[in-house]
Amino acid sequence: MAELVMAPNPAVWQVVPGLSDAAAWYERQIAAAPEAAREAVAGASALALRARLDTELSQVLLLCDPPAELYAMLGIAALDGVPAPETAAGAVGVAESLVASPWPAEALPFDLDGVRGWRVTILDEQDAGGDDQVALPQTVSSVYVMSVDGRCVVATLSSLPPLAAAVVQVLAEQVIATFGVEEDAR
């Protein structure tokens, strides 16, 4: 069986552990956080743990930067026996099945050190105070749909305000560039 491998920068991303290490990891997160940020760190860590333990995700990474008040999660699913979409429309279909939005998604192709696919950007709208002619993006979701050594991989960033999303997309793409598949030696 092939396993998805990656090398996230530990100064940026934390690998969220499985059940056996979850409680200790969570306690370390809170203990290491500045006093003023403990509640935010606890919330972000709890959400990341829930995603790791309650879903079929292959891996969950947490970005936790209290001084910048920046918290994000990258959920990664490696799918067996499913071909990666070869078109933007196919990638948009995958992304829209994961993230609902009243606006159409936009897909851009990428090639990050041989990892090829689509970054699909989805905007969430905010009501403009009764003016039905104006809608403002409140958050941005980014879904990466790609082929990694012939295996379909989907990585989803948590929804973020537009400026934060632009910063975190770059950090997520640095991790995605390290994706590979390793054969299990069992």
Side-chain angles (χ1 to χ4, degrees), residues 70 139-142 144 157-171:
L70 184 59
T139 60
V140 175
S141 294
S142 302
Y144 295 85
L157 274 174
S158 49
S159 295
L160 296 164
L163 184 57
V167 171
V168 177
Q169 282 176 344
V170 172
L171 299 172

Side-chain angles (χ1 to χ4, degrees), residues 17-161:
L19 184 59
S20 62
D21 298 322
W25 178 83
Y26 181 76
E27 293 301 323
R28 282 193 308 272
Q29 291 292 102
I30 295 169
E35 182 73 32
R38 285 202 175 132
E39 187 174 327
V41 169
S45 299
L47 288 172
L49 273 172
R50 184 173 298 133
R52 177 70 172 104
L53 300 176
D54 295 346
T55 67
E56 299 289 324
L57 293 172
S58 304
Q59 196 69 262
V60 174
L61 303 178
L62 176 66
L63 183 154
C64 204
D65 186 351
E69 296 181 8
L70 184 59
Y71 305 93
M73 182 180 65
L74 183 65
I76 305 158
L79 308 172
D80 291 320
V82 177
E86 294 182 13
T87 65
V92 165
V94 170
E96 288 181 337
S97 72
L98 299 171
V99 180
S101 173
W103 290 347
E106 294 291 328
L108 293 172
F110 68 81
D111 184 343
L112 302 168
D113 291 337
V115 177
R116 293 178 181 87
W118 305 90
R119 182 182 73 210
V120 181
T121 303
I122 303 169
L123 303 177
D124 182 25
E125 71 180 327
Q126 176 179 346
D127 185 4
D131 183 352
D132 55 351
Q133 299 298 315
V134 177
L136 304 172
Q138 179 180 353
T139 60
V140 175
S141 294
S142 302
V143 179
Y144 295 85
V145 183
M146 67 207 93
S147 177
V148 179
D149 293 330
R151 191 172 191 192
C152 182
V153 176
V154 178
T156 305
L157 274 174
S158 49
S159 295
L160 296 164

